Amino acid sequence: AQKVTQAQTEISVVEKEDVTLDCVYETRDTTYYLFWYKQPPSGELVFLIRRNSFDEQNEISGRYSWNFQKSTSSFNFTITASQVVDSAVYFCALSLPYQGGSEKLVFGKGTKLTVNP
Amino acid sequence: EAGVTQSPTHLIKTRGQQATLRCSPISGHTSVYWYQQALGLGLQFLLWYDEGEERNRGNFPPRFSGRQFPNYSSELNVNALELEDSALYLCASSSRHHKVYEQYFGPGTRLTVT
């Protein structure tokens, strides 16, 4: 069975601080996909990134960066120079491939990030 | 391009009633997923439809059911509503034909059972 653990329930930072959200996953499959989603107070889940299990390259997108390490089964997310608009709940998720597409998403419990001005 | 749409935005029902939630996927997407986000329980997978067929369901009782129409829109039905069914119900769509693995979510339907 697949499992995603986000140990940090809530994080509070001051604007312009860097913050890292941790994600540890469990699966016996060798091919899988990892995701990060953002859920602002409005409730809609916003897709941030997808990572394939066979691609361990780290990725940077503006102030966002992701560190994927298969050796530790982790897929951590760092926001550099945080802003108040980054305040949201962030979910890490795992899915398996199925017939050329994607199986269900297994979500972590989420980390609530509050960025104070 | 229009995103995933869901209706209604809010739904208030009483115990024992039935609720019907609707979802329209992104144009070209054939898969629709339903998730429940209840307070304290996180996001849990409910159902997955692809090209009109149910592909998988989560650990929910049979009173949670749904279907997918020929135009790929979907309906989630919850019968004999219980108080603990109060939650945000999120619909997502994806397209396996284009090897797009991301699931794109709608704004959700907030169901309140009194």
Side-chain angles (χ1 to χ4, degrees):
Chain A
Q2 296 78 42
K3 184 179 178 183
V4 175
T5 301
Q6 294 179 256
Q8 305 149 307
T9 307
E10 291 192 45
I11 299 176
S12 183
V13 299
V14 176
E15 211 170 13
K16 296 184 183 176
E17 278 186 37
D18 298 346
V19 57
T20 296
L21 309 181
D22 298 332
C23 172
V24 174
Y25 62 92
E26 295 175 32
T27 179
R28 291 183 180 177
D29 296 83
T30 55
T31 302
Y32 50 88
Y33 305 99
L34 295 165
F35 303 82
W36 276 94
Y37 284 87
K38 174 182 179 180
Q39 188 176 42
S42 60
E44 185 170 348
L45 279 171
V46 178
F47 166 78
L48 294 177
I49 190 172
R50 168 178 62 89
R51 218 66 192 127
N52 307 330
S53 55
F54 42 86
D55 181 3
E56 283 195 74
Q57 272 192 328
N58 290 327
E59 184 158 337
I60 298 174
S61 175
R63 297 184 297 106
Y64 295 169
S65 62
W66 291 270
N67 184 354
F68 176 30
Q69 292 194 339
K70 285 177 76 171
S71 59
T72 56
S73 297
S74 65
F75 185 42
N76 297 337
F77 173 32
T78 298
I79 301 175
T80 303
S82 60
Q83 299 176 1
V84 173
V85 292
D86 296 327
S87 297
V89 180
Y90 290 86
F91 290 94
C92 180
L94 168 75
S95 78
L96 303 177
Y98 180 83
Q99 294 185 359
S102 171
E103 249 272 10
K104 64 180 181 182
L105 287 167
V106 175
F107 285 92
K109 294 289 187 186
T111 297
K112 183 178 180 181
L113 173 65
T114 302
V115 182
N116 299 298
Chain B
E1 180 183 88
V4 177
T5 59
Q6 291 186 245
S7 63
T9 306
H10 293 89
L11 191 56
I12 300 175
K13 294 284 187 178
T14 56
R15 279 180 64 184
Q17 286 188 317
Q18 180 199 40
T20 298
L21 289 63
R22 296 180 178 84
C23 171
S24 290
I26 291 171
S27 177
H29 286 191
T30 60
S31 279
V32 170
Y33 307 79
W34 287 96
Y35 294 86
Q36 182 198 62
Q37 188 175 23
L39 203 60
L41 295 178
L43 276 153
Q44 296 186 78
F45 167 72
L46 256 169
L47 288 160
W48 170 26
Y49 293 96
D50 183 61
E51 297 197 341
E53 292 189 22
E54 182 180 299
R55 299 290 184 182
N56 199 2
R57 67 178 291 131
N59 189 24
F60 282 84
R63 55 191 189 81
F64 285 85
S65 64
R67 54 180 171 166
Q68 186 177 34
F69 300 99
N71 65 354
Y72 304 118
S73 67
S74 176
E75 214 171 69
L76 173 68
N77 294 294
V78 188
N79 294 320
L81 284 165
E82 299 179 3
L83 294 178
E84 51 265 34
D85 296 334
S86 294
L88 180 67
Y89 289 84
L90 291 163
C91 170
S93 74
S94 74
S95 169
R96 65 185 181 94
H97 291 297
H98 299 118
K99 301 234 182 241
V100 171
Y101 301 99
E102 296 89 35
Q103 293 182 22
Y104 293 90
F105 285 80
T109 292
R110 186 163 295 282
L111 173 64
T112 302
V113 183
T114 61

mmCIF file with all atom_site columns, all heavy atoms in Angstrom, chain A residues 11-19 63 79-83 86 115:
data_model
loop_
_atom_site.group_PDB
_atom_site.id
_atom_site.type_symbol
_atom_site.label_atom_id
_atom_site.label_alt_id
_atom_site.label_comp_id
_atom_site.label_asym_id
_atom_site.label_entity_id
_atom_site.label_seq_id
_atom_site.pdbx_PDB_ins_code
_atom_site.Cartn_x
_atom_site.Cartn_y
_atom_site.Cartn_z
_atom_site.occupancy
_atom_site.B_iso_or_equiv
_atom_site.pdbx_formal_charge
_atom_site.auth_seq_id
_atom_site.auth_comp_id
_atom_site.auth_asym_id
_atom_site.auth_atom_id
_atom_site.pdbx_PDB_model_num
ATOM 1   N N   . ILE A 1 11  ? 3.200  25.359 9.990  1.00 0.00 ? 11  ILE A N   1
ATOM 2   C CA  . ILE A 1 11  ? 4.441  26.135 10.029 1.00 0.00 ? 11  ILE A CA  1
ATOM 3   C C   . ILE A 1 11  ? 4.076  27.602 9.922  1.00 0.00 ? 11  ILE A C   1
ATOM 4   O O   . ILE A 1 11  ? 3.230  27.979 9.097  1.00 0.00 ? 11  ILE A O   1
ATOM 5   C CB  . ILE A 1 11  ? 5.387  25.764 8.853  1.00 0.00 ? 11  ILE A CB  1
ATOM 6   C CG1 . ILE A 1 11  ? 5.782  24.294 8.905  1.00 0.00 ? 11  ILE A CG1 1
ATOM 7   C CG2 . ILE A 1 11  ? 6.621  26.647 8.879  1.00 0.00 ? 11  ILE A CG2 1
ATOM 8   C CD1 . ILE A 1 11  ? 6.637  23.863 7.719  1.00 0.00 ? 11  ILE A CD1 1
ATOM 9   N N   . SER A 1 12  ? 4.734  28.403 10.725 1.00 0.00 ? 12  SER A N   1
ATOM 10  C CA  . SER A 1 12  ? 4.504  29.844 10.680 1.00 0.00 ? 12  SER A CA  1
ATOM 11  C C   . SER A 1 12  ? 5.845  30.539 10.493 1.00 0.00 ? 12  SER A C   1
ATOM 12  O O   . SER A 1 12  ? 6.794  30.262 11.229 1.00 0.00 ? 12  SER A O   1
ATOM 13  C CB  . SER A 1 12  ? 3.828  30.307 11.980 1.00 0.00 ? 12  SER A CB  1
ATOM 14  O OG  . SER A 1 12  ? 3.550  31.687 11.913 1.00 0.00 ? 12  SER A OG  1
ATOM 15  N N   . VAL A 1 13  ? 5.931  31.407 9.492  1.00 0.00 ? 13  VAL A N   1
ATOM 16  C CA  . VAL A 1 13  ? 7.164  32.131 9.217  1.00 0.00 ? 13  VAL A CA  1
ATOM 17  C C   . VAL A 1 13  ? 6.843  33.603 9.003  1.00 0.00 ? 13  VAL A C   1
ATOM 18  O O   . VAL A 1 13  ? 5.674  33.982 8.827  1.00 0.00 ? 13  VAL A O   1
ATOM 19  C CB  . VAL A 1 13  ? 7.900  31.571 7.972  1.00 0.00 ? 13  VAL A CB  1
ATOM 20  C CG1 . VAL A 1 13  ? 8.278  30.104 8.190  1.00 0.00 ? 13  VAL A CG1 1
ATOM 21  C CG2 . VAL A 1 13  ? 7.060  31.734 6.710  1.00 0.00 ? 13  VAL A CG2 1
ATOM 22  N N   . VAL A 1 14  ? 7.887  34.383 8.990  1.00 0.00 ? 14  VAL A N   1
ATOM 23  C CA  . VAL A 1 14  ? 7.750  35.803 8.695  1.00 0.00 ? 14  VAL A CA  1
ATOM 24  C C   . VAL A 1 14  ? 8.127  36.005 7.228  1.00 0.00 ? 14  VAL A C   1
ATOM 25  O O   . VAL A 1 14  ? 9.008  35.324 6.697  1.00 0.00 ? 14  VAL A O   1
ATOM 26  C CB  . VAL A 1 14  ? 8.647  36.649 9.613  1.00 0.00 ? 14  VAL A CB  1
ATOM 27  C CG1 . VAL A 1 14  ? 8.570  38.122 9.244  1.00 0.00 ? 14  VAL A CG1 1
ATOM 28  C CG2 . VAL A 1 14  ? 8.257  36.437 11.072 1.00 0.00 ? 14  VAL A CG2 1
ATOM 29  N N   . GLU A 1 15  ? 7.456  36.923 6.607  1.00 0.00 ? 15  GLU A N   1
ATOM 30  C CA  . GLU A 1 15  ? 7.702  37.208 5.190  1.00 0.00 ? 15  GLU A CA  1
ATOM 31  C C   . GLU A 1 15  ? 9.202  37.334 4.912  1.00 0.00 ? 15  GLU A C   1
ATOM 32  O O   . GLU A 1 15  ? 9.953  37.870 5.717  1.00 0.00 ? 15  GLU A O   1
ATOM 33  C CB  . GLU A 1 15  ? 6.992  38.499 4.813  1.00 0.00 ? 15  GLU A CB  1
ATOM 34  C CG  . GLU A 1 15  ? 6.528  38.546 3.385  1.00 0.00 ? 15  GLU A CG  1
ATOM 35  C CD  . GLU A 1 15  ? 5.619  39.730 3.088  1.00 0.00 ? 15  GLU A CD  1
ATOM 36  O OE1 . GLU A 1 15  ? 5.548  40.650 3.922  1.00 0.00 ? 15  GLU A OE1 1
ATOM 37  O OE2 . GLU A 1 15  ? 5.008  39.710 2.025  1.00 0.00 ? 15  GLU A OE2 1
ATOM 38  N N   . LYS A 1 16  ? 9.607  36.787 3.758  1.00 0.00 ? 16  LYS A N   1
ATOM 39  C CA  . LYS A 1 16  ? 10.976 36.799 3.242  1.00 0.00 ? 16  LYS A CA  1
ATOM 40  C C   . LYS A 1 16  ? 11.834 35.674 3.802  1.00 0.00 ? 16  LYS A C   1
ATOM 41  O O   . LYS A 1 16  ? 12.964 35.473 3.334  1.00 0.00 ? 16  LYS A O   1
ATOM 42  C CB  . LYS A 1 16  ? 11.667 38.145 3.446  1.00 0.00 ? 16  LYS A CB  1
ATOM 43  C CG  . LYS A 1 16  ? 11.002 39.280 2.686  1.00 0.00 ? 16  LYS A CG  1
ATOM 44  C CD  . LYS A 1 16  ? 11.761 40.591 2.822  1.00 0.00 ? 16  LYS A CD  1
ATOM 45  C CE  . LYS A 1 16  ? 11.011 41.706 2.094  1.00 0.00 ? 16  LYS A CE  1
ATOM 46  N NZ  . LYS A 1 16  ? 11.661 43.029 2.284  1.00 0.00 ? 16  LYS A NZ  1
ATOM 47  N N   . GLU A 1 17  ? 11.312 34.946 4.777  1.00 0.00 ? 17  GLU A N   1
ATOM 48  C CA  . GLU A 1 17  ? 12.040 33.772 5.264  1.00 0.00 ? 17  GLU A CA  1
ATOM 49  C C   . GLU A 1 17  ? 11.907 32.647 4.248  1.00 0.00 ? 17  GLU A C   1
ATOM 50  O O   . GLU A 1 17  ? 10.925 32.568 3.507  1.00 0.00 ? 17  GLU A O   1
ATOM 51  C CB  . GLU A 1 17  ? 11.458 33.285 6.596  1.00 0.00 ? 17  GLU A CB  1
ATOM 52  C CG  . GLU A 1 17  ? 11.932 34.033 7.809  1.00 0.00 ? 17  GLU A CG  1
ATOM 53  C CD  . GLU A 1 17  ? 11.412 33.387 9.090  1.00 0.00 ? 17  GLU A CD  1
ATOM 54  O OE1 . GLU A 1 17  ? 11.337 32.142 9.142  1.00 0.00 ? 17  GLU A OE1 1
ATOM 55  O OE2 . GLU A 1 17  ? 11.092 34.119 10.027 1.00 0.00 ? 17  GLU A OE2 1
ATOM 56  N N   . ASP A 1 18  ? 12.903 31.758 4.225  1.00 0.00 ? 18  ASP A N   1
ATOM 57  C CA  . ASP A 1 18  ? 12.806 30.531 3.430  1.00 0.00 ? 18  ASP A CA  1
ATOM 58  C C   . ASP A 1 18  ? 12.142 29.468 4.290  1.00 0.00 ? 18  ASP A C   1
ATOM 59  O O   . ASP A 1 18  ? 12.328 29.430 5.510  1.00 0.00 ? 18  ASP A O   1
ATOM 60  C CB  . ASP A 1 18  ? 14.192 30.042 3.011  1.00 0.00 ? 18  ASP A CB  1
ATOM 61  C CG  . ASP A 1 18  ? 14.932 31.040 2.134  1.00 0.00 ? 18  ASP A CG  1
ATOM 62  O OD1 . ASP A 1 18  ? 14.283 31.994 1.634  1.00 0.00 ? 18  ASP A OD1 1
ATOM 63  O OD2 . ASP A 1 18  ? 16.151 30.868 1.952  1.00 0.00 ? 18  ASP A OD2 1
ATOM 64  N N   . VAL A 1 19  ? 11.360 28.611 3.650  1.00 0.00 ? 19  VAL A N   1
ATOM 65  C CA  . VAL A 1 19  ? 10.678 27.559 4.407  1.00 0.00 ? 19  VAL A CA  1
ATOM 66  C C   . VAL A 1 19  ? 10.679 26.272 3.592  1.00 0.00 ? 19  VAL A C   1
ATOM 67  O O   . VAL A 1 19  ? 10.499 26.299 2.367  1.00 0.00 ? 19  VAL A O   1
ATOM 68  C CB  . VAL A 1 19  ? 9.239  27.982 4.781  1.00 0.00 ? 19  VAL A CB  1
ATOM 69  C CG1 . VAL A 1 19  ? 8.417  28.335 3.549  1.00 0.00 ? 19  VAL A CG1 1
ATOM 70  C CG2 . VAL A 1 19  ? 8.552  26.931 5.613  1.00 0.00 ? 19  VAL A CG2 1
ATOM 71  N N   . ARG A 1 63  ? 10.429 31.054 -7.123 1.00 0.00 ? 63  ARG A N   1
ATOM 72  C CA  . ARG A 1 63  ? 10.790 30.959 -5.709 1.00 0.00 ? 63  ARG A CA  1
ATOM 73  C C   . ARG A 1 63  ? 10.600 29.541 -5.160 1.00 0.00 ? 63  ARG A C   1
ATOM 74  O O   . ARG A 1 63  ? 10.906 29.268 -4.005 1.00 0.00 ? 63  ARG A O   1
ATOM 75  C CB  . ARG A 1 63  ? 9.935  31.935 -4.890 1.00 0.00 ? 63  ARG A CB  1
ATOM 76  C CG  . ARG A 1 63  ? 10.155 33.393 -5.236 1.00 0.00 ? 63  ARG A CG  1
ATOM 77  C CD  . ARG A 1 63  ? 9.356  34.322 -4.321 1.00 0.00 ? 63  ARG A CD  1
ATOM 78  N NE  . ARG A 1 63  ? 7.909  34.134 -4.461 1.00 0.00 ? 63  ARG A NE  1
ATOM 79  C CZ  . ARG A 1 63  ? 7.146  33.533 -3.567 1.00 0.00 ? 63  ARG A CZ  1
ATOM 80  N NH1 . ARG A 1 63  ? 7.664  33.044 -2.440 1.00 0.00 ? 63  ARG A NH1 1
ATOM 81  N NH2 . ARG A 1 63  ? 5.836  33.431 -3.768 1.00 0.00 ? 63  ARG A NH2 1
ATOM 82  N N   . ILE A 1 79  ? 10.181 26.986 -0.326 1.00 0.00 ? 79  ILE A N   1
ATOM 83  C CA  . ILE A 1 79  ? 9.775  28.304 -0.833 1.00 0.00 ? 79  ILE A CA  1
ATOM 84  C C   . ILE A 1 79  ? 10.825 29.296 -0.358 1.00 0.00 ? 79  ILE A C   1
ATOM 85  O O   . ILE A 1 79  ? 11.076 29.413 0.854  1.00 0.00 ? 79  ILE A O   1
ATOM 86  C CB  . ILE A 1 79  ? 8.389  28.709 -0.301 1.00 0.00 ? 79  ILE A CB  1
ATOM 87  C CG1 . ILE A 1 79  ? 7.338  27.672 -0.713 1.00 0.00 ? 79  ILE A CG1 1
ATOM 88  C CG2 . ILE A 1 79  ? 8.012  30.092 -0.828 1.00 0.00 ? 79  ILE A CG2 1
ATOM 89  C CD1 . ILE A 1 79  ? 5.952  27.935 -0.124 1.00 0.00 ? 79  ILE A CD1 1
ATOM 90  N N   . THR A 1 80  ? 11.425 29.982 -1.292 1.00 0.00 ? 80  THR A N   1
ATOM 91  C CA  . THR A 1 80  ? 12.451 30.976 -0.980 1.00 0.00 ? 80  THR A CA  1
ATOM 92  C C   . THR A 1 80  ? 11.804 32.350 -0.885 1.00 0.00 ? 80  THR A C   1
ATOM 93  O O   . THR A 1 80  ? 10.910 32.676 -1.663 1.00 0.00 ? 80  THR A O   1
ATOM 94  C CB  . THR A 1 80  ? 13.528 30.975 -2.071 1.00 0.00 ? 80  THR A CB  1
ATOM 95  O OG1 . THR A 1 80  ? 14.073 29.650 -2.190 1.00 0.00 ? 80  THR A OG1 1
ATOM 96  C CG2 . THR A 1 80  ? 14.637 31.958 -1.755 1.00 0.00 ? 80  THR A CG2 1
ATOM 97  N N   . ALA A 1 81  ? 12.256 33.117 0.081  1.00 0.00 ? 81  ALA A N   1
ATOM 98  C CA  . ALA A 1 81  ? 11.720 34.487 0.256  1.00 0.00 ? 81  ALA A CA  1
ATOM 99  C C   . ALA A 1 81  ? 10.198 34.455 0.270  1.00 0.00 ? 81  ALA A C   1
ATOM 100 O O   . ALA A 1 81  ? 9.530  35.038 -0.600 1.00 0.00 ? 81  ALA A O   1
ATOM 101 C CB  . ALA A 1 81  ? 12.251 35.406 -0.837 1.00 0.00 ? 81  ALA A CB  1
ATOM 102 N N   . SER A 1 82  ? 9.643  33.784 1.257  1.00 0.00 ? 82  SER A N   1
ATOM 103 C CA  . SER A 1 82  ? 8.198  33.573 1.324  1.00 0.00 ? 82  SER A CA  1
ATOM 104 C C   . SER A 1 82  ? 7.432  34.901 1.322  1.00 0.00 ? 82  SER A C   1
ATOM 105 O O   . SER A 1 82  ? 7.933  35.947 1.758  1.00 0.00 ? 82  SER A O   1
ATOM 106 C CB  . SER A 1 82  ? 7.852  32.768 2.579  1.00 0.00 ? 82  SER A CB  1
ATOM 107 O OG  . SER A 1 82  ? 8.274  33.462 3.734  1.00 0.00 ? 82  SER A OG  1
ATOM 108 N N   . GLN A 1 83  ? 6.199  34.806 0.818  1.00 0.00 ? 83  GLN A N   1
ATOM 109 C CA  . GLN A 1 83  ? 5.318  35.972 0.757  1.00 0.00 ? 83  GLN A CA  1
ATOM 110 C C   . GLN A 1 83  ? 3.989  35.614 1.403  1.00 0.00 ? 83  GLN A C   1
ATOM 111 O O   . GLN A 1 83  ? 3.632  34.437 1.500  1.00 0.00 ? 83  GLN A O   1
ATOM 112 C CB  . GLN A 1 83  ? 5.091  36.377 -0.713 1.00 0.00 ? 83  GLN A CB  1
ATOM 113 C CG  . GLN A 1 83  ? 6.356  36.763 -1.445 1.00 0.00 ? 83  GLN A CG  1
ATOM 114 C CD  . GLN A 1 83  ? 6.112  37.073 -2.912 1.00 0.00 ? 83  GLN A CD  1
ATOM 115 O OE1 . GLN A 1 83  ? 4.981  37.023 -3.402 1.00 0.00 ? 83  GLN A OE1 1
ATOM 116 N NE2 . GLN A 1 83  ? 7.177  37.403 -3.633 1.00 0.00 ? 83  GLN A NE2 1
ATOM 117 N N   . ASP A 1 86  ? 1.724  33.140 -0.124 1.00 0.00 ? 86  ASP A N   1
ATOM 118 C CA  . ASP A 1 86  ? 2.071  31.714 -0.065 1.00 0.00 ? 86  ASP A CA  1
ATOM 119 C C   . ASP A 1 86  ? 1.303  30.998 1.047  1.00 0.00 ? 86  ASP A C   1
ATOM 120 O O   . ASP A 1 86  ? 1.335  29.763 1.135  1.00 0.00 ? 86  ASP A O   1
ATOM 121 C CB  . ASP A 1 86  ? 3.574  31.532 0.176  1.00 0.00 ? 86  ASP A CB  1
ATOM 122 C CG  . ASP A 1 86  ? 4.430  32.056 -0.968 1.00 0.00 ? 86  ASP A CG  1
ATOM 123 O OD1 . ASP A 1 86  ? 3.967  31.977 -2.131 1.00 0.00 ? 86  ASP A OD1 1
ATOM 124 O OD2 . ASP A 1 86  ? 5.537  32.558 -0.701 1.00 0.00 ? 86  ASP A OD2 1
ATOM 125 N N   . VAL A 1 115 ? 2.305  32.682 6.428  1.00 0.00 ? 115 VAL A N   1
ATOM 126 C CA  . VAL A 1 115 ? 3.383  33.657 6.252  1.00 0.00 ? 115 VAL A CA  1
ATOM 127 C C   . VAL A 1 115 ? 2.881  34.990 6.785  1.00 0.00 ? 115 VAL A C   1
ATOM 128 O O   . VAL A 1 115 ? 1.917  35.562 6.258  1.00 0.00 ? 115 VAL A O   1
ATOM 129 C CB  . VAL A 1 115 ? 3.791  33.786 4.776  1.00 0.00 ? 115 VAL A CB  1
ATOM 130 C CG1 . VAL A 1 115 ? 4.942  34.773 4.641  1.00 0.00 ? 115 VAL A CG1 1
ATOM 131 C CG2 . VAL A 1 115 ? 4.185  32.426 4.204  1.00 0.00 ? 115 VAL A CG2 1
#
